[in-house]
Amino acid sequence: MLIKSMQYLGFEAYEKSINHIDSTVFFMANIEGKTVIIIAEQDSAAAKTGAAGFTIENLGSGISCAELTHENACVLRKLFPWTAPVRGLGKPKSFGLGDRLGIAAPGHIDLFITNDIFPVFAQQSIRELTLTNRTYEDVLDAATFAVFREGYKKGFGADGDHLKTEKDVEYALSLGFTMITLDCSDYIKNENVITDSAPIPSIYKEKYLNKTFSIEDFTLVFSEEELGKCLTVYAEAVNFAASIYNKFFTDGKYNADLEISIDETASVTTPLQHFFVARELLDAGVLFATIAPRFCGEFQKGIDYIGDITQFEKEIKVHAAIARSLNYKLSIHSGSDKFSVFPVIGRETKGQFHVKTAGTNWLEAMRVVAVRDPVLYREVHSFALTVFGEAKKYYQVTADLSNIPDISEIEDVDLPGLFNNNETRQLIHITYGLILNHKNENGSFAFKDRLYNLWKQSETEYRRALVKHIGRHLELLSKN
Ligand code: ZN
């Protein structure tokens, strides 16, 4: 089904995509089920110059058609700068929307067009790229084309998420990504296995030891033991972040926000450790927009927070105060479906946060499959059960599969309700790569093409589902 389409110059056009530059009109349309960009020269004298750099097929009468390729996406971003990502982490509220399938942005646009939260429509980690067989070109282009099609001109970001190497940072930045989430975890020591404690250099003793740091209503004091631990666990991570910053962020070649991610670690980031990392980075001249600490409790994929909410509240109060006092924002990763802590996050950060989601957008797409094509859903579900063990290599979840209802005993109408079951959510959540890439004996995809076909026909449902489900995230984050 085509949404908001109209007849325009003889094409089945997306109404909101109609844009003019001088006498040339550019818009998206469907030709035989395929979405393309139409370029129509309305002044016959200028007809030769109309295509504006696109790689095109000439349809005659001053009209040409450009396919949705990476090269044409690059041209589109130049011609219409609002289709290119911009920096926005400096805004009070920002929100990351990992769209692993490249089809969620229209629904996200419906939601973010009406609020003051800066959206990061393109956000994917290398792990997700590998598991979905996508490239950063695809991820960015999907956002660009959706923004053009929907006429969304408020600005959006693109996040190279959880990048660990110079090569990957350069890859994302060279394509125009406007945010880099630097994953420092390879340089963070596991404090549970530290045995030796090296002597603390005097420069750190003078700076921190037994000094009192007043952060709003809190005071932080570093004992010798705590300071030693900060140094052993985080010193290398600080050096790594500084080296990346100096290489890519200081000469003005790229224009992007930097997020420091220290969340994928074996132990919780204490407020002292958070403060230490931030101070050391700032003293090394590193300017960053956000830090993602590892909070207490568990932020498992695609389900609500697991842990002591009172403890979480106590700790995020201090983390948020540290971030405010040093002038950056807290970033909350694995933010999908953390409904019980969203009000706390919104309140304690005083409405200044970055929250990332990804898997929940995929789960909503699969919920649509359960509604629209129970037969296909049952096939995918059964397959997921067989590969769950393998998928656990990539994602840490605690789901006990014995809690998943036997789908052979479930009526079709009750299949969507499975997505209210945490174990089913985690089952489907972490097996996405294996589901999408699974092939039949003849080499064709077992599910991928059928799924995308269905999602194409179910665009309205998926948009509505995202508006409702991500909307619930935003509402709770704004509730104080
Ligand atoms: Zn993370």
Side-chain angles (χ1 to χ4, degrees), residues 127 161-162 181 183 259 261-264 292-293 301 331-334 356:
R127 173 172 63 184
D161 195 9
H162 273 284
T181 298
D183 182 333
E259 168 157 318
S261 141
I262 54 172
D263 64 309
E264 303 234 327
K301 303 290 179 183
S331 177
I332 290 89
H333 287 196
S334 303
K356 297 199 196 199

Side-chain angles (χ1 to χ4, degrees), residues 412-427:
D412 283 355
V413 298
D414 295 325
L415 288 176
L418 282 170
F419 287 83
N420 304 326
N421 169 289
N422 279 351
E423 282 75 17
T424 308
R425 294 184 70 77
Q426 294 202 323
L427 166 72

Side-chain angles (χ1 to χ4, degrees), residues 427-444:
L427 166 72
I428 300 298
H429 184 291
I430 69 165
T431 50
Y432 66 94
L434 295 158
I435 293 169
L436 291 172
N437 290 317
H438 187 52
K439 289 194 172 152
N440 297 315
E441 270 172 25
N442 67 7
S444 61

Side-chain angles (χ1 to χ4, degrees), residues 134-430:
R134 294 178 86 200
T135 61
Y136 271 149
E137 284 87 340
D138 294 338
V139 172
L140 183 56
D141 296 347
T144 288
F145 290 134
V147 159
F148 183 74
R149 204 189 82 175
E150 301 299 321
Y152 177 87
K153 300 182 182 174
K154 286 174 70 186
F156 69 98
D159 178 8
D161 195 9
H162 273 284
L163 302 186
K164 294 182 169 188
T165 64
E166 270 187 20
K167 184 174 134 268
D168 290 341
V169 170
E170 186 156 32
Y171 173 35
L173 287 174
S174 67
L175 288 172
F177 275 60
T178 53
M179 171 177 182
I180 295 296
T181 298
L182 188 65
D183 182 333
C184 302
S185 58
D186 287 353
Y187 298 87
I188 297 173
K189 295 249 167 59
N190 181 350
E191 67 177 70
N192 303 317
V193 297
I194 295 169
T195 47
D196 60 324
S197 48
I200 299 170
S202 59
I203 178 171
Y204 292 104
K205 280 190 177 166
E206 280 160 30
K207 220 161 133 182
Y208 295 104
L209 190 58
N210 298 322
K211 294 264 172 11
T212 302
F213 297 92
S214 296
I215 312 285
E216 297 182 3
D217 297 339
F218 307 97
T219 45
L220 299 177
V221 182
F222 287 81
S223 69
E224 189 144 8
E225 192 196 340
E226 290 287 1
L227 179 55
K229 210 190 252 180
C230 284
L231 270 168
T232 320
V233 177
Y234 292 103
E236 272 186 48
V238 169
N239 287 341
F240 169 63
S243 76
I244 293 287
Y245 179 79
N246 290 330
K247 184 155 177 133
F248 296 107
F249 288 81
T250 48
D251 63 4
K253 184 173 168 196
Y254 301 115
N255 192 11
D257 291 314
L258 177 62
E259 168 157 318
I260 306 292
S261 141
I262 54 172
D263 64 309
E264 303 234 327
T265 55
S267 53
V268 170
T269 315
T270 65
L272 267 185
Q273 291 169 343
H274 171 192
F275 179 76
F276 175 84
V277 169
R279 270 297 297 265
E280 285 304 300
L281 287 168
L282 290 169
D283 290 353
V286 178
L287 297 178
F288 51 91
T290 35
I291 285 189
R294 159 129 190 236
F295 295 103
C296 62
E298 286 186 51
F299 280 69
Q300 288 195 21
K301 303 290 179 183
I303 60 170
D304 204 344
Y305 177 75
I306 301 172
D308 179 345
I309 295 176
T310 315
Q311 180 68 19
F312 175 78
E313 181 163 4
K314 217 172 110 194
E315 293 191 17
I316 198 174
K317 258 185 212 292
V318 192
H319 286 299
I322 293 169
R324 264 193 304 275
S325 72
L326 298 178
N327 210 16
Y328 57 90
K329 295 196 298 185
L330 279 186
S331 177
I332 290 89
H333 287 196
S334 303
S336 291
D337 304 271
K338 300 301 176 292
F339 299 117
S340 66
V341 288
F342 285 149
V344 179
I345 292 168
R347 183 172 63 242
E348 297 308 332
T349 61
K350 301 190 177 165
Q352 293 180 28
F353 54 75
H354 184 65
V355 171
K356 297 199 196 199
T357 62
T360 205
N361 298 295
W362 149 255
L363 285 173
E364 285 307 302
M366 285 306 297
R367 195 200 298 260
V368 168
V369 176
V371 174
R372 296 269 318 231
D373 190 341
V375 173
L376 177 56
Y377 179 77
R378 285 176 196 277
E379 278 182 55
V380 172
H381 184 104
S382 305
F383 171 75
L385 285 169
T386 66
V387 294
F388 184 68
E390 195 184 337
K392 280 211 284 192
K393 278 190 244 162
Y394 306 102
Y395 288 97
Q396 220 206 328
V397 294
T398 54
D400 175 357
L401 296 189
S402 66
N403 291 330
I404 299 179
D406 179 353
I407 52 165
S408 65
E409 289 170 13
I410 294 182
E411 301 279 333
D412 283 355
V413 298
D414 295 325
L415 288 176
L418 282 170
F419 287 83
N420 304 326
N421 169 289
N422 279 351
E423 282 75 17
T424 308
R425 294 184 70 77
Q426 294 202 323
L427 166 72
I428 300 298
H429 184 291
I430 69 165

